[in-house]
Amino acid sequence: MAEETLVADPAKVPRKRRLTKKKASRAKKNPKKPMLEGIGPNIIKVKKIDGKMKKLFRKRAREYNSDEDNDNDSMAVTGDDESSELEEVAMDNGASDDEENDEIIPGITKFVEGCRAFRIAFRSIIKKSVPDDSLGPVLSAHKKLIAEKLAEEEAERKIKGDAKKEKLLVGEKGHVKPDNYLDSHAKFLVGVATKGVVKLFNAVNKAQNAQKGLNPLRSKDAKALRKRRKETFFSELGKASQPAADTPAKGRTSTRQVDEEGPSWAPLRDNYMLTNSKLKDWDKFPEASVADDFRSMSEHGNSDDY
Amino acid sequence: MARFKNKKKVIVKPVAKKKQPTVDHITGSKIPMSFVFSRGKLPGPLRQLQMDLRKLMLPYTALNLKEKKRNNLKDFLNVAGPMGVTHFLIISKTTTAPYLRVARTPQGPTLTFKIHEYSLAVDVIKSQLRPRCPQDLFKNAPLIVLSGFGTGDQHLKLTTIMFQNIFPAIDINTVKLSSCQRIVLLNYNKDTKLIDFRHYSIRLQPVGVSRRIRKFVQNHQVPDLRNLQDVSDFVTKAGYGSESEADDEAATVTLASDLGRVNRASTKSAVKLQEIGPRMTLQLIKIEEGLCSGGVIFSEYGSGDGKKKQDNEEDPEDQEDEDEDREDIVQDEEDHEENIVEDDDEDVD
């Protein structure tokens, strides 16, 4: 193999030299070119290469080499016959040896040999038939341990999931999603509610239509209106001058009884000013509160009139 | 030490002035207000149900009431006094079922319902093809219709009164029909002893007008006349009408005043109800005299050993609650007296 490469090389040597000369002359124009050949001869070292550049060159060189590596590996894996591989190596050399000295060439051959060893080893690994197990060949010594652990985890997860599901079920208890259609019961309920609304609206209509006919500007009607309001007002107070004054639509308003503590507006209560000890010294109150008092009184007066 | 010195003075903020009136300015009756909250930790759907109930109780409720784990009933009671809150709706949950307690503050009584089934507002809306939610739906309190409660039983009568008082009363002489947008239905089934709790929105539409014309007036959109020979066809040709569109004579009303552009007082209108959740199926199991405490007036499982059995059913936290509540009540009576005095002050000022 090494021989072959050696044989292949001499043909290229003159060309190589020419190339270097060309490159050297070109390098002055184009500073990027020498990067690839950075490892090599003095010609390029003449050029100014600061540390950063050097680093970059090294990196690129490494990458270049590693690429080669990979190529070889892949070749090995695909398992071509030897001759083709050798060709490849020769090609590689052809491409890369533009600047490389003769000293490097044995290095490359060595490398190829190493690669071959690696290739064989790799192939043997690949060829090895592994029992088709869910755990895989990794840590096969601890297989039992791993199996146990996995089973345990699985059980744990199952228990957790069950608990969660149960909790959710308890939380959802009594929660029912309604149907998309109206079943008979729902229809019946809607009917009941509709009946109630109709009853109320009719009652409102009856009550408010009676008022509507009366023109508050005419004295006669105004009197009737006032009387009606008075009636409702008293009925609200619970004194009920005429209990039939406001016949409500439904049980709703009728069963509403006046609260046990009487009307909510304090002055209308029977025990107003009698129980409250704070009102004893009313004349000592500041002016503002008195004014407030008057205002609220007048407001209430208005609402009563209305 | 320095920190303690700084901490010595605690400034008590005066209670902010109420924005909402506690008294209806026309009828002069006290407006009932409510808190909806939970005891114990609730699972997700029940928390949503609580939110739905709060929405249902609008506008006289605390929509964004924040509760903490350490809040007990006493805390709510203390806040309820100055705020004028008259009713508590308490949701709790045991391993058997969720429960709803409806209580009047500060002295009771308390009705305990077992929630057999419930659906959230979201579920109801999802089940509908065209859900409806006008802007001002929740701006007014709902009407309440109680049906089937007139069997003469005392506990049912109490339930009726309780639910009537939970929403503000309406005065039929002054009420505006435009403010009647929602209705809460409680239907008692004598045979199963279950109460169906439903929540509907009320919609009115004119009767005797073809669907096309109604839509035209409502939508302000240029109708599609491609298939018609003459404009008169649009008016005369009756569109197809499904069975549900047929106007039920029982569901028509004559309005006292115009309601919007479409529903005139002169024409008849049909009442259409559409469900807006939540819905619940309740069973009344217990009535207590006090606020979550006191003597048991009524128990579904009978008195004596029946009551014991029921107590066992409830989780320990609930019992703890009750113990706390009992303490609450003792203190509360003092509080209540104070409250009365405060009330008088407010009225005078």
Side-chain angles (χ1 to χ4, degrees), chain A residues 167 170-182 185-186 188-190 192-209 211-212 228 232 236 245-253 255-257 259-261 264-267 269 272 275-276 278-279 285 289 292-293 296 300 303 306, chain B residues 23 25-30 43 45-46 93-98 104 115-120 123-124 126-128 143-145 147 160-161 164-165 167-177 180 183 185 187 189 196 198 200 202 204 250-257 265 271 273 279 341 344-345 347-349:
Chain A
K167 200 178 163 193
V170 168
E172 287 275 333
K173 196 164 201 173
H175 189 189
V176 174
K177 300 270 161 82
D179 303 323
N180 283 338
Y181 55 90
L182 280 178
H185 185 61
F188 164 72
L189 290 178
V190 169
V192 170
T194 310
K195 223 184 275 173
V197 175
V198 168
K199 243 183 194 174
L200 168 76
F201 277 25
N202 283 337
V204 168
N205 184 30
K206 211 172 173 185
Q208 295 189 355
N209 259 345
Q211 282 178 12
K212 212 192 279 171
R228 196 185 296 274
T232 52
E236 286 299 334
D246 65 336
T247 42
K250 279 164 277 170
R252 176 183 337 115
T253 34
T255 44
R256 164 178 300 284
Q257 278 144 8
D259 296 338
E260 55 281 359
E261 69 261 0
S264 52
W265 189 34
R269 287 183 195 146
Y272 180 57
T275 52
N276 201 341
K278 273 190 188 174
L279 282 178
F285 276 1
S289 76
D292 272 354
D293 205 345
S296 73
H300 272 279
S303 67
Y306 175 77
Chain B
V23 171
H25 63 96
I26 295 172
T27 57
S29 54
K30 204 170 177 184
L46 275 178
K93 172 165 178 5
T94 69
T95 47
T96 49
R104 221 193 125 82
I115 303 176
H116 279 252
E117 283 178 358
Y118 66 93
S119 304
L120 305 176
D123 303 331
V124 172
K126 262 187 198 160
S127 74
Q128 287 168 352
L143 312 171
I144 183 156
V145 170
S147 137
T160 318
I161 293 169
Q164 275 163 358
N165 289 330
F167 297 112
I170 52 162
D171 177 23
I172 56 169
N173 286 314
T174 51
V175 71
K176 277 184 189 147
L177 287 184
C180 304
I183 185 163
L185 170 74
N187 185 52
N189 192 334
D196 286 308
R198 297 294 140 102
Y200 299 102
I202 300 173
L204 291 167
T252 55
V253 290
T254 315
L255 298 177
S257 55
V271 176
L273 298 187
R279 63 163 78 156
V341 173
D344 282 354
D345 282 352
D347 283 337
V348 169
D349 281 346

Side-chain angles (χ1 to χ4, degrees), chain B residues 115-168:
Chain B
I115 303 176
H116 279 252
E117 283 178 358
Y118 66 93
S119 304
L120 305 176
V122 182
D123 303 331
V124 172
I125 282 170
K126 262 187 198 160
S127 74
Q128 287 168 352
L129 210 59
R130 273 178 232 278
R132 169 178 184 267
C133 186
Q135 289 272 313
D136 49 352
L137 190 62
F138 291 99
K139 280 195 179 141
N140 291 98
L143 312 171
I144 183 156
V145 170
L146 298 158
S147 137
F149 281 89
T151 53
D153 289 333
Q154 280 299 315
H155 62 274
L156 287 182
K157 207 169 178 185
L158 185 61
T159 313
T160 318
I161 293 169
M162 192 72 163
F163 277 107
Q164 275 163 358
N165 289 330
I166 219 166
F167 297 112

Side-chain angles (χ1 to χ4, degrees), chain B residues 1-271:
Chain B
M1 287 303 281
R3 274 166 75 200
F4 280 110
K5 251 183 196 172
N6 289 341
K7 265 193 180 176
K8 223 162 70 177
K9 272 195 180 175
V10 177
I11 301 164
V12 179
K13 269 192 185 173
V15 176
K17 259 204 163 180
K18 284 165 270 175
K19 282 169 199 165
Q20 281 184 330
T22 52
V23 171
D24 194 313
H25 63 96
I26 295 172
T27 57
S29 54
K30 204 170 177 184
I31 293 175
M33 297 190 192
S34 55
F35 273 166
V36 183
F37 56 90
S38 60
R39 307 293 298 138
K41 197 166 184 280
L42 293 185
L46 275 178
R47 235 176 297 143
Q48 192 59 47
L49 180 71
Q50 173 187 322
M51 205 56 217
D52 287 346
L53 274 179
R54 277 184 193 170
K55 258 190 122 176
L56 183 142
M57 299 300 291
L58 278 177
Y60 301 111
T61 192
L63 187 64
N64 298 318
L65 183 68
K66 296 275 186 294
E67 41 192 324
K68 282 179 184 160
K69 208 179 167 188
R70 63 163 187 271
N71 285 141
N72 52 15
L73 209 55
K74 190 179 156 191
D75 297 338
F76 290 109
L77 253 179
N78 286 344
V79 179
M83 303 278 280
V85 172
T86 55
H87 289 83
F88 282 170
L89 274 80
I90 308 165
I91 296 178
S92 59
K93 172 165 178 5
T94 69
T95 47
T96 49
Y99 289 85
L100 173 71
R101 280 180 284 179
V102 183
R104 221 193 125 82
T105 61
Q107 277 157 328
T110 307
L111 315 181
T112 306
F113 296 97
K114 186 178 181 181
I115 303 176
H116 279 252
E117 283 178 358
Y118 66 93
S119 304
L120 305 176
V122 182
D123 303 331
V124 172
I125 282 170
K126 262 187 198 160
S127 74
Q128 287 168 352
L129 210 59
R130 273 178 232 278
R132 169 178 184 267
C133 186
Q135 289 272 313
D136 49 352
L137 190 62
F138 291 99
K139 280 195 179 141
N140 291 98
L143 312 171
I144 183 156
V145 170
L146 298 158
S147 137
F149 281 89
T151 53
D153 289 333
Q154 280 299 315
H155 62 274
L156 287 182
K157 207 169 178 185
L158 185 61
T159 313
T160 318
I161 293 169
M162 192 72 163
F163 277 107
Q164 275 163 358
N165 289 330
I166 219 166
F167 297 112
I170 52 162
D171 177 23
I172 56 169
N173 286 314
T174 51
V175 71
K176 277 184 189 147
L177 287 184
S178 59
S179 70
C180 304
Q181 293 265 4
R182 296 181 291 143
I183 185 163
V184 171
L185 170 74
L186 284 158
N187 185 52
Y188 181 71
N189 192 334
K190 231 187 293 177
D191 304 324
T192 56
K193 292 191 177 176
L194 293 179
I195 300 169
D196 286 308
F197 183 101
R198 297 294 140 102
H199 186 208
Y200 299 102
S201 74
I202 300 173
R203 184 169 48 125
L204 291 167
Q205 60 186 36
V207 173
V209 187
S210 74
R211 183 188 155 85
R212 267 185 189 160
I213 293 174
R214 203 178 66 226
K215 290 282 169 214
F216 174 52
V217 175
Q218 275 172 343
N219 292 349
H220 297 272
Q221 276 167 3
V222 178
D224 181 11
L225 298 176
R226 270 180 307 184
N227 303 331
L228 302 176
Q229 298 293 320
D230 196 77
V231 179
S232 63
D233 287 353
F234 181 74
V235 182
T236 52
K237 237 188 195 171
Y240 65 92
S242 66
E243 206 171 315
S244 65
E245 288 282 327
D247 294 316
D248 190 3
E249 190 56 40
T252 55
V253 290
T254 315
L255 298 177
S257 55
D258 293 355
L259 197 65
R261 282 180 329 110
V262 189
N263 296 295
R264 295 279 159 186
S266 50
T267 62
K268 282 210 154 197
S269 299
V271 176

Side-chain angles (χ1 to χ4, degrees), chain B residues 299-316:
Chain B
S299 176
E300 176 61 32
Y301 305 116
S303 54
D305 38 37
K307 191 199 158 207
K308 250 184 203 167
K309 190 179 130 205
Q310 191 201 330
D311 274 352
N312 288 341
E313 252 176 48
E314 288 179 12
D315 58 2

